Amino acid sequence: MRTAVYPGSFDPIHFGHTDIAQRAATLFDRLVVGIYARPDKHLRFTVDERVALARAVLEPFANVDVLPYDGLTVELARSVGAQTLVRGLRVISDFEREYQMALMNQQLRPHVETICLMTRYEYAFLSASLVKEVFDAGGDVSGMVNPLVLAALEEKRRRIDGGVGCPGMG
Ligand code: ADP
């Protein structure tokens, strides 16, 4: 059984992520999308919300599971029996960070390999932070995220506008 982990913040999951997950799922028997609970980023969604959205969006892919994690990505890989980490590469500027992380993970667990899948050119510009920025500025993000994610962004905005926003969420 070949298992891979596709880790990230997924705040929220967008079409660029879904495309990488779908393509990686054809290369492995099982793909575990690991949702990192506490990235060093300003988060819009809680880890439970990010997991629920990713599960709903990736539900059509039978061999894809979504799990939250805290701590090292290589530990998540060990706990699910994965030998491979999958990451997506957009532009040249992603490379430096991905390279650094791959080498660090190699140090931590030498037999876990990292593979990077190139984005599709139509998603090369797409990032979760840009989705949030465009949405917040009143732009149409329906071509970038699943309708469920769009609904969650709208719901979050309603809660924040209504003063029910959760602490720590932007
Ligand atoms: P992280 O906080 O770990 O960078 P992200 O949720 O931003 O997590 O991204 C998770 C992974 O998906 C990363 O490998 C990232 O490069 C990749 N990714 C993000 N957006 C795209 C995209 N538009 N096309 C392909 N891969 C992408």
Side-chain angles (χ1 to χ4, degrees):
M1 173 103 162
R2 287 168 315 145
T3 302
V5 166
Y6 175 31
S9 317
F10 302 98
D11 184 50
I13 187 165
H14 56 62
F15 287 163
H17 293 135
T18 310
D19 176 60
I20 296 290
Q22 180 176 7
R23 286 159 55 202
T26 67
L27 300 174
F28 296 93
D29 299 309
R30 181 181 179 221
L31 181 74
V32 175
V33 174
I35 313 260
Y36 187 47
R38 290 184 296 175
D40 190 15
K41 288 182 178 179
H42 189 57
L43 291 169
R44 176 76 43 111
F45 293 98
T46 65
V47 65
D48 290 344
E49 289 168 335
R50 286 179 281 136
V51 167
L53 286 173
R55 281 198 179 132
V57 168
L58 299 172
E59 208 254 340
F61 309 116
N63 63 336
V64 177
D65 293 318
V66 179
L67 292 178
Y69 76 104
D70 209 349
L72 294 173
T73 303
V74 287
E75 270 308 305
L76 172 68
R78 190 195 52 75
S79 71
V80 299
Q83 307 79 20
T84 311
L85 303 178
V86 173
R87 296 282 290 176
L89 272 186
R90 282 162 295 194
V91 285
I92 280 291
S93 54
D94 277 346
F95 177 77
E96 205 172 319
R97 172 89 181 125
E98 295 299 336
Y99 185 59
Q100 202 179 22
M101 279 197 303
L103 291 187
M104 176 55 81
N105 285 327
Q106 213 176 68
Q107 288 292 314
L108 294 168
R109 276 179 72 87
H111 59 278
V112 173
E113 290 291 350
T114 299
I115 65 164
C116 290
L117 298 182
M118 306 306 142
T119 187
R120 277 188 205 291
Y121 73 88
E122 61 263 43
Y123 302 134
F125 68 97
L126 197 50
S127 69
S129 49
L130 205 53
V131 167
K132 289 177 281 189
E133 215 173 300
V134 170
F135 176 80
D136 289 347
D140 178 10
V141 297
S142 59
M144 306 174 203
V145 296
N146 184 288
L148 291 167
V149 174
L150 182 56
L153 283 164
E154 284 164 350
E155 172 62 16
K156 185 71 70 179
R157 177 157 64 193
R158 270 195 295 276
R159 289 170 65 89
I160 290 169
D161 287 351
V164 204
C166 304
M169 286 183 194

